[in-house]
Amino acid sequence: MKSAVRVRFAPSPTGGLHLGGVRTALFNYLFARHHGGTFVLRIEDTDQTRFVPGAEHYILDCLEWCGISPDEGPHKEGRFGPYRQSERKSTYRAFAEQLIQQGHAYYAFDTPEELEAMRERFKSENNPSPQYNASIRAHMRNSLALDASEVERLLSEKTPHVIRINVPANQTVVLHDMIRGEVHFNSNEVDDKVLLKADGMPTYHLAVVVDDYQMQISHAFRGEEWLPSAPVHLLLWDFLGWKNSMPQWAHLPLILKPDGHGKLSKRDGDRLGFPVFAMDWHDPRTQELTRGFREMGFLPEAFINMLALLGWNDGSGEEVFDRSQLCERFSVDRIHKGGARFDFEKAKWFNQEWIKRKRDEELAPQVCERMKQQGIQVTQEAITPLIGLVKERCQTLMDFIPQLDYFFRDPVSVDWNSIRAKWDSGKKNFFTEWSNELAALAEWKTEAIEDSFKQVAIRLGIKPGEVQLSLRIMLVGGKFGPPVFLIAHYLQKDSTLSRISHAIHILDDAASS
RNA sequence: GGCCCGUUGGUCAAUCGGUUAAGACGCCUCCCUUUCACGGAGGAAUGAGGGGUUCGAUUCCCCUACGGGCUACCA
């Protein structure tokens, strides 16, 4: 009786794709791959007021960047399309009507104002947000409370109306969650959710059930914030007579703010200086640009690795996994129940691990691109051999820029103070002497450069170590980077000499003034 | 307020009744290196509280506290 594994990621195209969304997509993907199943993308665009052009395409791009592209979706029609709920609009109404015939739903003609008035009227200290439920629906304008003839009239006059679920009283609805086990709900606490809106579109509640059924979804992963509405969905699966086809549910733990309280939001990223969206999101309405992990210099391998370990682990103590390892090791019973705080430091560590693991040639194109964006004249060929020199110093792709910049142009800023403190005629003499030696050097090789440096130092009675930091600052601009003689080697003779002589002038001027 | 979920170091977390309560990030010290990193060796730091169950509870149950989610014709 075991059917094929089919899972879906069902975002609504309302803006950038959040970390938590990507993780839900990822867990779906990993589960599907682990079980040889199918990963479906369904666009939940039933709220026309929140629709944002470009968002769907952006979501697809994010998933592709992460390497977790869906097997079916609006981009890749399968046997279960269409994959946009707006394009499935016509299918929902019939099910809503069917529920009415069976007494499991009813028409409601209440206007937004009337609903507001109801909430005001029944609001109390003990019940600040009254629900549209068994005790209240008798007081409202719906097909359960009104005369049949009146309902007939309202309908024939095309009075705007919605269809609500008729939640039975005094029932215990039991959810069997793959992560949380049994969760019990009392139907008296569940309100008569709108199933079909006045504009004819279904709400999430109806659409998720109809679509999961029609798309033959076997396992449904979603965020924990959906747990409270699970009984509505369970009831619908039952009412529609599809109980035996219902997917197994898994409510994922939330990703929380690093500080303070609540679930992680885009605002936290803005506030704390880290990305929350997978990729840059440019809001077409507000023109606002929100930075993404990709543009901040993260590798997709690191991004999904980090996300996979947020709320799940394989118990081995290992943490760095590539996509295929994740697919292999993923299992629902090792998903956590509790929410996990997002830690940007750890995210950067994952990225650094992945940068170290990547071959220089793989990194080169992206690093090259980023340097060009900064106006630095570079080529992939020139950069590739340098990447290995600096990559263990980089946590993001952006870190390569300052690490590589000085190889291609004179340092933009120089930490003169670090040299000046101990600058004297002896040192000036040393660098002048050494420059002459370098100029005459036959072979521009790292070892030869270093040898000559040491020889001149010894000849002048200076410890090589005492002038090495000065040299580094002259060439690099600061106290960082690979071994200094290696840098001189890559810099070539002319640049090396010119930076040294430029430094001597600067330091001399400062000394004489 | 109500309903639901959760709770091991600062953070991610292992443990599925018996451990000196792993490991990782971050932090600190030292080594390597006259830069910064990488690497290596150490260190500080954890079972929310109270009741049970049990020979024995971090592990099972209950209560409390705390945290979170939901409470729309949004998903």
Side-chain angles (χ1 to χ4, degrees):
Chain A
M1 190 71 185
K2 195 171 180 288
S3 53
V5 167
R6 288 178 54 81
V7 297
R8 61 5 184 218
F9 173 52
S12 50
T14 53
L17 187 57
H18 183 275
L19 261 183
V22 180
R23 194 195 52 172
T24 301
L26 177 63
F27 280 19
N28 270 289
Y29 173 91
L30 296 179
F31 185 82
R33 287 293 169 274
H34 184 86
H35 295 285
T38 306
F39 174 41
V40 180
L41 174 68
R42 185 171 70 219
I43 299 297
E44 310 233 332
D45 56 350
T46 54
D47 186 354
Q48 291 160 330
T49 64
R50 293 212 308 159
F51 177 79
V52 176
E56 176 188 317
H57 194 262
Y58 166 90
I59 288 168
L60 240 2
D61 285 347
C62 286
L63 297 181
E64 188 184 359
W65 176 66
C66 291
I68 56 173
S69 292
D71 304 311
E72 290 174 24
H75 64 303
K76 203 173 162 188
E77 293 286 328
R79 297 191 293 118
F80 301 90
Y83 294 88
R84 286 183 200 97
Q85 289 180 331
S86 58
E87 294 172 10
R88 304 170 70 81
K89 182 176 177 182
S90 58
T91 66
Y92 304 108
R93 174 141 220 138
F95 292 109
E97 299 282 358
Q98 179 195 323
L99 288 169
I100 291 180
Q101 299 306 312
Q102 297 166 156
H104 295 309
Y106 57 88
Y107 297 108
F109 303 93
D110 316 284
T111 63
E113 293 71 31
E114 288 168 334
L115 288 172
E116 185 51 40
M118 176 276 278
R119 292 195 184 102
E120 272 310 311
R121 178 146 83 96
F122 293 98
K123 189 156 74 176
S124 70
E125 186 85 335
N126 288 337
N127 185 9
S129 47
Q131 299 190 308
Y132 200 119
N133 61 17
S135 66
I136 279 177
R137 61 183 168 236
H139 306 282
M140 306 299 288
R141 299 175 56 226
N142 55 58
S143 58
L144 257 28
L146 268 24
D147 288 346
S149 57
E150 173 71 354
V151 172
E152 202 55 47
R153 203 204 87 228
L154 288 167
L155 285 177
S156 66
E157 286 174 2
K158 300 242 183 311
T159 311
H161 63 274
V162 300
I163 294 177
R164 286 180 182 270
I165 182 174
N166 184 0
V167 176
N170 304 315
Q171 274 196 14
T172 298
V173 181
V174 182
L175 165 72
H176 298 272
D177 189 273
M178 290 191 281
I179 298 172
R180 288 153 216 285
E182 284 192 1
V183 183
H184 298 250
F185 300 90
N186 181 333
S187 66
N188 295 340
E189 309 289 349
V190 180
D191 71 345
D192 293 353
K193 290 286 185 206
V194 170
L195 264 20
L196 203 74
K197 301 187 257 190
D199 65 1
M201 277 288 195
T203 58
Y204 172 84
H205 307 295
L206 212 217
V208 73
V209 173
V210 170
D211 290 346
D212 281 352
Y213 172 73
Q214 294 189 332
M215 295 182 178
Q216 295 178 19
I217 299 304
S218 62
H219 302 263
F221 294 84
R222 59 177 16 171
E224 192 187 337
E225 68 267 29
W226 288 108
L227 212 39
S229 57
V232 175
H233 312 317
L234 259 16
L235 251 16
L236 287 174
W237 276 94
D238 190 15
F239 293 162
L240 261 0
W242 301 333
K243 215 172 179 177
N244 294 329
S245 314
M246 189 171 74
Q248 283 195 258
W249 296 99
H251 289 89
L252 270 20
L254 266 17
I255 298 177
L256 278 9
K257 299 177 196 294
D259 66 336
H261 311 294
K263 55 179 175 178
L264 186 68
S265 76
K266 183 181 91 64
R267 287 264 161 258
D268 299 308
D270 300 342
R271 182 169 58 85
L272 272 10
F274 58 78
V276 168
F277 290 164
M279 311 187 319
D280 271 9
W281 167 248
H282 189 259
D283 194 304
R285 298 162 309 181
T286 62
Q287 297 303 310
E288 188 192 3
L289 175 74
T290 308
R291 302 285 278 159
F293 276 87
R294 182 177 71 173
E295 288 75 9
M296 296 274 273
F298 277 75
L299 262 16
E301 292 88 343
F303 185 54
I304 62 167
N305 191 170
M306 174 272 292
L307 247 23
L309 274 284
L310 218 46
W312 172 85
N313 74 84
D314 78 335
S316 70
E318 293 170 72
E319 293 188 290
V320 181
F321 301 118
D322 65 23
R323 205 174 69 224
S324 67
Q325 289 172 312
L326 288 171
C327 291
E328 207 174 291
R329 302 181 185 219
F330 187 75
S331 73
V332 178
D333 39 66
R334 292 201 64 90
I335 296 176
H336 269 246
K337 293 185 175 74
R341 285 211 143 81
F342 174 66
D343 180 1
F344 190 48
E345 291 305 319
K346 186 84 182 228
K348 284 189 290 190
W349 175 81
F350 272 112
N351 205 46
Q352 184 172 26
E353 287 300 309
W354 274 99
I355 286 174
K356 285 192 287 186
R357 267 156 238 251
K358 284 270 180 179
R359 287 182 298 111
D360 300 349
E361 299 73 35
E362 292 178 283
L363 260 11
Q366 303 186 63
V367 171
C368 188
E369 181 58 32
R370 281 160 203 269
M371 292 188 75
K372 282 178 179 166
Q373 282 169 9
Q374 297 292 311
I376 306 166
Q377 298 296 311
V378 286
T379 61
Q380 272 186 48
E381 294 66 39
I383 274 184
T384 306
L386 300 175
I387 287 186
L389 257 47
V390 302
K391 67 178 174 186
E392 64 203 16
R393 282 160 247 259
C394 299
Q395 289 197 302
T396 73
L397 259 17
M398 298 309 271
D399 293 340
F400 278 94
I401 295 169
Q403 288 289 346
L404 254 23
D405 192 357
Y406 56 85
F407 282 106
F408 300 96
R409 61 181 182 186
D410 289 342
V412 178
S413 72
V414 178
D415 177 16
W416 294 115
N417 289 335
S418 290
I419 311 183
R420 206 168 272 143
K422 292 180 181 173
W423 187 252
D424 56 24
S425 60
K427 285 186 179 164
K428 178 189 174 186
N429 196 26
F430 166 79
F431 279 104
T432 311
E433 279 282 310
W434 185 48
S435 291
N436 293 336
E437 292 260 332
L438 284 186
L441 209 57
E443 263 199 325
W444 193 254
K445 289 277 165 58
T446 310
E447 228 173 83
I449 300 165
E450 184 166 0
D451 283 347
S452 97
F453 184 88
K454 286 177 177 162
Q455 280 165 22
V456 173
I458 289 165
R459 195 164 75 220
L460 298 181
I462 291 177
K463 284 183 189 155
E466 283 175 22
V467 273
Q468 218 178 91
L469 185 61
S470 300
L471 174 61
R472 168 176 297 280
I473 289 170
M474 290 171 181
L475 301 184
V476 175
K479 300 176 188 175
F480 62 91
V484 71
F485 299 109
L486 217 46
I487 293 173
H489 170 247
Y490 279 104
L491 239 30
Q492 295 303 322
K493 187 184 282 186
D494 286 354
S495 291
T496 304
L497 289 175
S498 84
R499 287 185 196 182
I500 293 172
S501 85
H502 174 244
I504 292 173
H505 281 299
I506 296 267
L507 291 159
D508 253 16
D509 286 354
S512 59
S513 65

